[in-house]
């Protein structure tokens, strides 16, 4: 879905692109091929071990916190994040910074999760487990419901042609997405176990994700795209 939207944006040869929270580097790799030798990609993350392994001469790697990073104004034709800003307590300030670093005509493309789909649609143990995880990560500065107002926030920054769509995957147990959530929520479970908490219920709920007969609902990804006039 990310690549489909990048295609729709029209990323082309010569573009200067910034990917914040670059993670495994899949988006950076796509951008590196698309913008070609006349373009430039910048990958920013707290941990850049994976993007450093990419063999692209047109890729700059910055291992730093976007909150404190010096990002020149008007420097990029495209700025992208995926499931990143919701984990940054200073997300409103970062949003302004990302808007400011767009060149005239540049595109801000943000993909952020909204827990509303899990709250409303998932009635399995995964849903119950997820609600507990959401409460825990909120105490650490994350905001699983922040994205729902993102289209309005981007418009308030003076960006134009704001468009948005939500995507809510349903998935079966024992699938790749089920494994992703089992690993992700399992890390929270492990931290609680290390602190001495009883995680018996967590284990039962995580085990449901291994059952291919069960159907679950993932958090919605809200994709918002807007343009600097």
């Amino acid at each position: 879905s990310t690549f489909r939207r990048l295609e729709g944006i029209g990323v082309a040869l010569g573009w200067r692109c910034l990917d914040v929270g670059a993670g495994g580097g899949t988006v950076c790799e796509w951008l590196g091929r698309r913008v070609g030798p006349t373009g430039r990609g910048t990958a920013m993350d707290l941990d850049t071990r994976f993007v450093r392994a990419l063999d692209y001469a047109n890729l700059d790697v910055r291992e730093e916190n976007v909150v404190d990073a010096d990002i020149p104004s008007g420097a990029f034709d495209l700025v992208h994040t995926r499931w990143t800003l919701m984990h940054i307590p200073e997300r409103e300030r970062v949003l302004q910074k990302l808007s400011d670093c767009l060149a005239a005509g540049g595109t801000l493309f943000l993909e952020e999760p909204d827990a509303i789909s899990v709250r409303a649609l998932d009635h399995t143990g995964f849903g119950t487990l997820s609600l507990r995880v959401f409460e825990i990560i909120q105490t650490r500065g994350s905001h699983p419901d922040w994205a729902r107002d993102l289209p309005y926030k981007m418009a308030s920054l003076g960006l134009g042609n704001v468009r948005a769509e939500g995507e809510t995957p349903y998935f079966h147990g024992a699938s790749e997405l089920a494994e992703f959530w089992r690993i992700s929520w399992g890390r929270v479970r492990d931290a609680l176990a290390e602190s001495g908490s009883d995680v018996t219920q967590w284990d039962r709920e995580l085990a449901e994700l291994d059952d291919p007969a069960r159907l679950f609902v993932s958090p919605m990804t809200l994709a918002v795209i807007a343009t600097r006039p």
Side-chain angles (χ1 to χ4, degrees):
S1 59
T2 299
F3 300 144
R4 172 172 55 82
R5 294 182 182 108
L6 287 170
E7 290 275 6
I9 288 169
V11 179
L13 292 173
W15 278 36
R16 301 159 297 164
C17 304
L18 171 64
D19 189 30
V20 177
T26 53
V27 172
C28 291
E29 190 170 15
W30 189 96
L31 291 171
R33 293 193 303 267
R34 180 54 66 98
V35 303
T38 60
R40 202 82 195 163
T42 300
M44 184 178 293
D45 207 314
L46 295 173
D47 181 351
T48 59
R49 74 183 88 169
F50 299 111
V51 290
R52 284 199 303 269
L54 297 177
D55 187 20
Y56 285 92
N58 61 352
L59 178 64
D60 299 317
V61 179
R62 297 179 58 173
E63 186 167 285
E64 56 188 309
N65 190 330
V66 65
V67 175
D68 306 314
D70 181 15
I71 307 177
S73 298
F76 295 99
D77 303 299
L78 172 77
V79 176
H80 172 261
T81 73
R82 182 175 175 87
W83 286 52
T84 298
L85 299 185
M86 62 92 64
H87 292 301
I88 301 175
E90 304 90 345
R91 59 187 68 85
E92 301 286 345
R93 180 154 60 92
V94 173
L95 179 61
Q96 179 70 66
K97 177 183 285 191
L98 298 184
S99 173
D100 291 343
C101 75
L102 287 173
T107 299
L108 184 58
F109 172 26
L110 306 183
E111 300 176 286
E112 293 292 329
D114 190 329
I116 188 171
S117 55
V118 176
R119 299 186 194 279
L121 301 174
D122 193 297
H123 306 296
T124 68
F126 169 73
T128 304
L129 170 61
S130 296
L131 295 182
R132 289 203 307 277
V133 172
F134 297 153
E135 292 178 359
I136 291 170
I137 65 174
Q138 281 186 279
T139 66
R140 303 173 183 175
S142 298
H143 195 331
D145 301 306
W146 176 73
R148 66 188 59 172
D149 291 325
L150 193 51
Y152 308 104
K153 293 177 184 294
M154 288 168 70
S156 72
L157 294 175
L159 300 176
N161 192 24
V162 178
R163 56 267 198 210
E165 63 178 353
E167 186 172 60
T168 302
Y170 286 70
F171 63 98
H172 284 280
S175 62
E176 290 184 354
L177 193 51
E179 181 181 9
F180 168 83
W181 287 115
R182 181 171 53 77
I183 293 172
S184 298
W185 286 175
R187 290 178 176 174
V188 182
R189 176 259 180 223
D190 293 345
L192 289 173
E194 290 175 3
S195 70
S197 299
D198 181 4
V199 293
T200 304
Q201 184 178 355
W202 288 67
D203 290 338
R204 286 197 300 267
E205 293 160 342
L206 286 169
E208 290 186 17
L209 291 168
D210 294 324
D211 184 354
R214 289 183 174 271
L215 188 63
F216 308 96
V217 183
S218 179
M220 177 177 71
T221 296
L222 185 64
V224 189
I225 302 170
T227 305
R228 166 66 61 192

